[in-house]
Amino acid sequence: MRVLASSRGFTYIAALVAIMIMGIMLGVAGQSWQTVMKREREEELLFRGLQYKYAFDLWYKPRPGQPPPHPIRELKDLLKNPYSLTTARYLRRLYKDPITNKEWEPIRDPVRGIIGVCIASDEEPLKKSNFPEEIKEFEGKTKYSDWRFGNKLPPAAGTVTLPGIPATK
């Protein structure tokens, strides 16, 4: 009888320890799940951004015997060129950015109109190297807003450019 009386709270303590261990394990699983989801959104951001870059490259591509292309005034012009007599499509649809789930921020040039897009997020990206050749300049960038997709983009704000010397920050 005495042995049973001394082990009364053991089951209760064992249950509390088991719940605590399960909570820790779920917390670790949640953190890794968030990382996996962020990595997937980042991959989708690169895909969609490259789609915009290719569309801008096609729009501004010089065509022999034709005048220079009209400036892009709105991103929806990439869906169907309003200046073309034929149906000229450069994008299938306007994508939202997968990080903030908002519209892309257009990068404007006073003469050429919209020449690129970026997103308004100061989050730090997971990917910092091994980018495709078209976007090698993303290496070492510390914010998503530094990832700018477009055609012959000017340097980002805060960079210094001198003739014959590469841009620096």
Side-chain angles (χ1 to χ4, degrees):
M1 225 29 192
R2 220 161 213 270
V3 173
L4 291 177
S6 65
S7 64
R8 268 190 194 160
F10 178 75
T11 306
Y12 180 69
I13 291 174
L16 285 177
V17 169
I19 289 172
M20 185 177 69
I21 290 172
M22 285 184 357
I24 291 171
M25 297 300 284
L26 286 172
V28 169
Q31 287 295 328
S32 68
W33 182 255
Q34 278 184 326
T35 304
V36 167
M37 292 305 294
K38 184 173 181 177
R39 192 172 314 248
E40 285 184 17
R41 284 192 308 270
E42 209 168 85
E43 286 296 319
E44 187 65 20
L45 173 71
L46 290 172
F47 170 78
R48 292 177 184 185
L50 283 172
Q51 294 302 306
Y52 276 104
K53 181 187 179 348
Y54 298 147
F56 287 116
D57 289 346
L58 280 173
W59 182 285
Y60 289 113
K61 181 180 179 181
R63 293 172 183 82
Q66 291 187 354
H70 291 279
I72 300 173
R73 299 291 176 213
E74 297 180 46
L75 287 176
K76 71 177 184 175
D77 292 350
L78 294 170
L79 298 176
K80 185 174 185 283
N81 187 343
Y83 307 110
S84 176
L85 296 176
T86 62
T87 303
R89 298 182 192 277
Y90 301 97
L91 273 181
R92 289 183 176 189
R93 64 186 181 118
L94 293 178
Y95 299 103
K96 288 188 175 186
D97 95 74
I99 302 296
T100 63
N101 203 28
K102 295 181 180 174
E103 301 298 322
W104 291 79
E105 297 287 325
I107 300 169
R108 297 184 186 275
D109 180 73
V111 175
R112 295 188 298 155
I114 299 174
I115 57 171
V117 292
C118 65
I119 66 171
S121 173
D122 288 336
E123 279 187 65
E124 184 174 351
L126 294 174
K127 186 175 181 86
K128 299 214 171 121
S129 61
N130 298 325
F131 288 97
E133 197 60 41
E134 302 97 342
I135 52 174
K136 273 289 191 210
E137 67 271 9
F138 290 4
E139 304 250 343
K141 301 289 183 179
T142 58
K143 299 185 291 189
Y144 287 123
S145 58
D146 292 338
W147 290 9
R148 299 158 37 109
F149 300 91
N151 178 270
K152 296 180 185 167
L153 296 171
T159 60
V160 178
T161 57
L162 299 172
I165 299 174
T168 59
K169 232 177 193 197

